[in-house]
Amino acid sequence: MKKVRWMMPGLAILISTYIRAQEVPLTLHDAVEATLRNNKEIILSGFDEEIARAKYRQTDAVFLPQIKLSYTGMSTNNPLNAFGFKLQQQTIAPSDFNPETLNHPAATQNFITKAEWQQPLINPDQFYRRQAALEQVQVYVFRSKRTKEYLSLQTQTAYAQLYLAWQAARVMEEVSRAVDALYIDTHNRMEKGYLQKSDVLHVQVEQSAAAARLAEARSNIRNVSDQLSLLMGASAGIVYTVDTLVQVNIVADTALLVPDNRADFQAMQAAVVAQEKMICASKLNYIPRLNAFGEYLINDRQALGFGANAYLVGAQLSWTLFNGLSTRYKIAEQQAERNKTVELLSYQKSQAQQGLYKANRQLKDARFTLQQTEIAAQQAAEALRILQNRYQQGLVTVRDLLQAQALVSEQKLRQAQAIFQYNTTVAYIQFLTSTSEK
C-alpha cells in the first residue's frame, strides 16, 4: 500500500507530529467491508428483518391447535352451584334430593383439572393475512439491502473526501516548504541590500497564512476520519491514511434507465402486494369460519384429587352478517393506502430517473473539468518555474513569485477536487442503477 508521506520543515513538523503518531492505513475495500459488518444502521435493519420474520411465524397459528391446561379450586354454599359441583363429581346420592339439603347445602368444594383444545379449520381471511406477513418480510429484506447499498455509497464518498483532505494537506505542505525556502532567500537578499524589509514581511505574512491553511487541512483530515470511523462502527480519534484512488472510467449514458428491480423499488412493490393481501383478507371477513374445539375435565371434592372425568368436543360455524359497516370502510382505507403506495413508487422511480439524468450530465462535466485542471496545473507549474528563474535574476518581485505559487496550489486543489467530483459521481450512478434479485 502506498502511504501518503510528507516532510515539513519548521512549524509544519510540529503541526503534523501528533497526527502521524496515530495514523492507520485504510483501503477503500476495507472501509466498505467494515461498514457493512459493523455499521449500526445495518445492524438495526437486521433486527427489523428478525422482527418481521417473527411476526410471520406467529401466523403459524392459522394451522396449529391451541392447547390450554388449568387447575381451579372453588367452594360455595349456593344451592345451584353446590348441587352442580356434586353432579360434576358424579357423587349424587338420594339424600342430596332432600329439600332441606337442596335449599340449604353445606359448603361444597370442587377442584377442576381442565384441558382445552381449539383447532382452526377454515379461516380464509387468516390465510391471506399470513401471506401479507410473508410479503412484509420481503419488504424488510429489500430495505436492508438498500440500506447496505446506501451506506456503501456513503463510505465511498467519505473515503474520497479523506483522499481529497490528504491531497489538500500535501499541497499546503508544499506551499509551506516553498514559502519557508523563499523566506530564507529573501532574508539573505535583504541583508545584502538587494531587497527591502517589506518584501521579507510580505513573505512572513504568507508563512503565517500557509501555516493556518495547513492546520485547517489537518483538522479536516481528522474530521473526515471520524466520519469514516462512525460509518465503520469504530472508535473516534483515529486518523486514516488512504491509498491512491483508482479512477473508474465509465461513459455517461443519457439513455440509461433506472432498473425496476432496484432494492428500494422492490421493497415498495412487496409492500403493495402485502396491502393487496390484507384487502383480500378483509373482504373474506364476509364469509363464514369453521373451527373445532374440545374440553377434558376432571372434577373432585379433594385438592389434587382426580375423580370424575368428562369431555366435550364440537365444531363451530360462525358468520358475521353485519358489524356496523366497519369491514366495508376498513377495506376502503386499505385500498386508499395501497393506491398511495403505488403512486409513491411511481413518483420515486421518476425522481430516481431524473437524478440519473442529472448524474450523467455531472459525469460529463466532471470528466471535462478533470482534463482542464490537469492542463491548468501543468501550465501553472511551468509558469512558476519560469518565474523562479527570473526571480533569481532579479527580474520579478517577491509578490509575483508568491502569486505564482498561490496559483499552482490553487490549480492542484482544483485538480484534487475534480478527481473527488468524478469518483463520487461514478459511485452515485452505480448506486442509482444497482439491481437486486429476489
Side-chain angles (χ1 to χ4, degrees), residues 134-363:
L134 181 59
E135 289 297 328
Q136 196 65 27
V137 172
Q138 294 302 316
V139 170
Y140 285 103
V141 169
F142 287 127
R143 284 183 181 176
S144 180
K145 186 178 188 305
R146 191 57 176 172
T147 299
K148 292 178 181 178
E149 293 171 352
Y150 175 73
L151 289 170
S152 177
L153 171 65
Q154 292 290 94
T155 303
Q156 292 178 65
T157 301
Y159 194 89
Q161 287 177 335
L162 183 59
Y163 179 82
L164 175 61
W166 275 110
Q167 292 294 94
R170 183 174 69 177
V171 171
M172 291 300 102
E173 288 170 354
E174 291 176 353
V175 171
S176 181
R177 288 198 300 268
V179 174
D180 287 343
L182 183 59
Y183 171 76
I184 295 173
D185 185 66
T186 54
H187 188 270
N188 291 336
R189 289 187 176 215
M190 182 194 69
E191 290 183 341
K192 294 178 181 179
Y194 298 145
L195 295 175
Q196 298 179 358
K197 186 175 181 180
S198 61
D199 293 322
V200 177
L201 293 175
H202 191 73
V203 176
Q204 286 180 321
V205 170
E206 187 60 30
Q207 271 187 312
S208 299
R213 290 194 294 268
L214 178 57
E216 183 179 354
R218 288 292 184 178
S219 295
N220 195 32
I221 290 174
R222 298 185 67 86
N223 292 337
V224 181
S225 293
D226 286 344
Q227 181 182 352
L228 263 174
S229 293
L230 179 62
L231 286 168
M232 296 187 299
S235 300
I238 301 173
V239 176
Y240 299 104
T241 60
V242 296
D243 281 344
T244 299
L245 288 180
V246 177
Q247 181 176 326
V248 181
N249 293 313
I250 66 173
V251 178
D253 184 3
T254 55
L256 185 63
L257 298 177
V258 174
D260 288 333
N261 63 339
R262 212 172 72 177
D264 54 338
F265 296 158
Q266 286 191 293
M268 294 193 67
Q269 188 59 49
V272 170
V273 175
Q275 289 169 337
E276 290 174 346
K277 297 294 184 182
M278 290 301 295
I279 292 172
C280 291
S282 296
K283 289 180 178 179
L284 290 173
N285 283 336
Y286 289 118
I287 70 173
R289 304 180 183 185
L290 180 63
N291 297 288
F293 61 90
E295 293 182 357
Y296 181 77
L297 299 96
I298 300 177
N299 293 271
D300 200 286
R301 69 180 64 185
Q302 300 293 331
L304 301 179
F306 301 96
N309 61 79
Y311 69 86
L312 172 68
V313 295
Q316 181 185 50
L317 180 67
S318 60
W319 191 357
T320 302
L321 298 176
F322 183 75
N323 63 352
L325 300 178
S326 174
T327 300
R328 176 181 175 180
Y329 289 108
K330 184 174 183 60
I331 293 172
E333 176 190 354
Q334 292 171 334
Q335 288 174 335
E337 290 176 349
R338 188 269 316 274
N339 294 339
K340 178 182 177 181
T341 304
V342 171
E343 288 300 320
L344 182 59
L345 174 58
S346 176
Y347 178 63
Q348 289 191 356
K349 286 184 177 180
S350 298
Q351 277 188 318
Q353 188 61 53
Q354 181 183 4
L356 182 57
Y357 289 148
K358 181 180 179 181
N360 275 303
R361 290 190 292 269
Q362 289 177 337
L363 183 63

Side-chain angles (χ1 to χ4, degrees), residues 37-73:
R37 184 172 58 252
N38 302 321
N39 186 270
K40 298 302 181 183
E41 290 187 44
I42 293 177
I43 294 174
L44 292 175
S45 67
F47 286 132
D48 287 336
E49 283 187 49
E50 291 183 20
I51 293 171
R53 293 184 189 279
K55 288 182 177 179
Y56 169 68
R57 297 308 305 179
Q58 292 176 24
T59 62
D60 289 347
V62 174
F63 308 105
L64 301 177
Q66 295 184 20
I67 300 174
K68 299 179 182 179
L69 184 65
S70 63
Y71 187 81
T72 308

Side-chain angles (χ1 to χ4, degrees), residues 93-104:
S95 59
D96 292 321
F97 291 94
N98 185 322
E100 182 63 23
T101 302
L102 287 174
N103 291 325
H104 304 284

